[in-house]
Amino acid sequence: MASLSLRDSTVIGDYKKPYIVAEVNTSHGGNVESAMAMIDKAKEVGCNCVKFQSWSTNSLYSKSFYEKNPIAKRFVEKYSLSENDLFELARYCRDQNIAFASTPYSRREVDFLVDSCKTPFVKVASMDINNYPYLDYIAKTGAPIVLSTGMSEIGEIQRAVSVIENAGNNNICLLHCVSIYPADISTIHLNNIIGLREEFPQYPIGFSDHTLGIEVATAATALGAAVIEKHFTLDRKKIGMDNQMAVEPEEMALLVQSCHNVYLALGSKDRFVSEEEYEQRKKMRRSIVAVKNLEAGAVISGSDLDVKRPGTGLAPEKIDTLIGKRLLRSIEADTLLLETD
């Protein structure tokens, strides 16, 4: 199965233990202390990575858009994090032993994350999948790229991957994604994970989850998703972009545990019977028993035999081998026959 080594030496891959990313987005409210509290909680509930957004008023929208939507500019200014903020949060993540990542929206932000924050990967938002010069620029940093595929047709994904590959970068993880916030379960089509894996067998496939609840992320783990990304908040009641669809710490803890449990349950495709199950055979399988009292010297017929628990005697598949054999000793009805009989 495909795998990818991140810059911090973490290896993610299909059907490996899922790499779980807490997507913070704007749930920190533009406050570094709140962001640190979210890092603490993400670490506490077992997430592997906390991911922020690196946008600013200059990198997200155009001047003409802001002129028509002045409230949007105030929103971006309020909820964006400065380079100093992000650098401090990256350092705090290192201290807490959890990975720091962010989604850049400009070349300057890419360079800052790769060179200054030493992020383990660069997350590319779905909106940039057809931004080919930008993809080329990111690819040439050599950093692993985690690429969301929301809103894109398969041909667009193929071209985006080709652009990255042609820039000399084969360190790619694709995330199946539906860019609706929140996304109805009927829109998800989780089998796209399988489809992407068939189309791009050399790259691990993950899932960016915008549904409510944890069921879909858990199901994605059963399909071998290498990465599970889920929006995270400390308080869903607060106003913020996508905050109302994010999971709070208790629910994130359930998501992490559920995904880990599913990973453990998947096990191997090779058939394996454990020692514990071999012991269960003795209790739960059947053995050959006499239907009636049988005297020593009697020739056994099929009507003389039945099978009942426990499985400590002769196995049922041996019935045919006993028919026509002569008993060496008398057998009481409803008791197990032994090989020595």
Side-chain angles (χ1 to χ4, degrees):
M1 292 295 177
S3 62
L4 171 64
S5 181
L6 304 181
R7 294 174 81 205
D8 60 3
S9 299
T10 300
V11 177
I12 62 173
D14 294 335
Y15 291 99
K16 293 183 180 293
K17 190 174 184 179
Y19 185 84
I20 299 178
V21 178
E23 165 63 77
V24 173
N25 201 0
T26 62
S27 295
H28 49 69
N31 183 279
V32 172
E33 286 71 28
S34 295
M36 287 180 175
M38 296 184 76
I39 291 168
D40 291 339
K41 277 295 180 182
K43 170 67 177 177
E44 181 183 316
V45 301
C47 295
N48 301 101
C49 176
V50 183
K51 194 184 78 63
F52 294 86
Q53 303 278 337
S54 291
W55 39 258
S56 67
T57 53
N58 292 326
S59 63
L60 199 57
Y61 291 107
S62 64
K63 176 184 175 183
S64 59
F65 177 85
Y66 288 133
E67 288 172 349
K68 295 178 181 178
N69 302 275
I71 293 176
K73 186 172 185 179
R74 290 198 294 272
F75 183 91
V76 173
E77 287 172 342
K78 175 177 173 57
Y79 287 99
S80 63
L81 295 169
S82 68
E83 286 186 353
N84 285 339
D85 293 337
L86 291 167
F87 185 81
E88 187 175 352
L89 292 172
R91 183 168 55 191
Y92 188 74
C93 281
R94 282 194 294 274
D95 291 342
Q96 303 308 309
N97 196 30
I98 187 170
F100 166 89
S102 188
T103 301
Y105 293 89
S106 70
R107 297 184 181 197
R108 175 187 173 97
E109 290 161 356
V110 171
D111 293 340
F112 173 72
L113 291 172
V114 173
D115 298 333
S116 299
C117 296
K118 309 295 184 185
T119 53
F121 59 89
V122 174
K123 170 65 190 298
V124 179
S126 293
M127 59 177 269
D128 279 318
I129 198 161
N130 65 340
N131 189 353
Y132 303 127
Y134 185 55
L135 292 180
D136 178 79
Y137 185 85
I138 296 172
K140 286 177 178 174
T141 68
I145 294 172
V146 176
L147 177 63
S148 276
T149 60
M151 305 177 289
S152 58
E153 299 170 357
I154 190 64
E156 293 176 306
I157 302 171
Q158 290 167 335
R159 179 160 182 197
V161 169
S162 293
V163 168
I164 295 168
E165 291 174 333
N166 290 339
N169 192 328
N170 295 295
N171 303 312
I172 306 169
C173 174
L174 298 173
L175 300 188
H176 171 49
C177 174
V178 174
S179 297
I180 303 171
Y181 308 88
D184 187 85
I185 286 176
S186 64
T187 69
I188 298 302
H189 300 287
L190 268 187
N191 281 328
N192 270 226
I193 292 173
I194 298 172
L196 287 171
R197 188 174 292 130
E198 291 173 350
E199 184 66 35
F200 305 100
Q202 68 274 43
Y203 300 127
I205 309 299
F207 177 56
S208 182
D209 184 17
H210 297 151
T211 65
L212 299 175
I214 68 170
E215 296 89 349
V216 180
T218 305
T221 303
L223 293 178
V227 173
I228 299 292
E229 182 181 78
K230 186 74 172 179
H231 283 250
F232 181 58
T233 183
L234 297 184
D235 186 357
R236 201 158 35 216
K237 300 186 197 69
K238 289 185 176 179
I239 295 173
M241 192 185 298
D242 309 329
N243 192 63
Q244 283 68 43
M245 55 154 278
V247 295
E248 294 177 342
E250 184 176 351
E251 196 172 12
M252 182 64 96
L254 286 174
L255 182 149
V256 171
Q257 190 60 57
S258 295
C259 290
H260 288 176
N261 286 346
V262 167
Y263 163 72
L264 288 174
L266 284 174
S268 171
K269 68 179 181 180
D270 297 324
R271 192 67 189 170
F272 173 77
V273 180
S274 67
E275 289 299 322
E276 290 82 1
E277 274 199 299
Y278 278 120
E279 285 299 311
Q280 285 292 83
R281 284 186 180 186
K282 299 175 184 178
K283 302 173 186 176
M284 299 183 68
R285 283 193 173 181
R286 300 177 187 241
S287 299
I288 300 170
V289 299
V291 172
K292 59 187 179 182
N293 291 333
L294 298 173
E295 298 298 326
V299 176
I300 300 173
S301 68
S303 61
D304 293 332
L305 305 176
D306 199 357
V307 290
K308 294 185 179 181
R309 283 182 175 180
T312 53
L314 294 174
E317 64 260 29
K318 293 188 175 181
I319 279 186
D320 288 345
T321 68
L322 299 186
I323 295 172
K325 297 286 179 68
R326 191 179 300 277
L327 283 172
L328 300 178
R329 70 178 179 95
S330 297
I331 304 294
E332 188 178 346
D334 211 27
T335 61
L336 275 63
L337 274 71
L338 303 176
E339 195 77 51
T340 55
D341 296 332

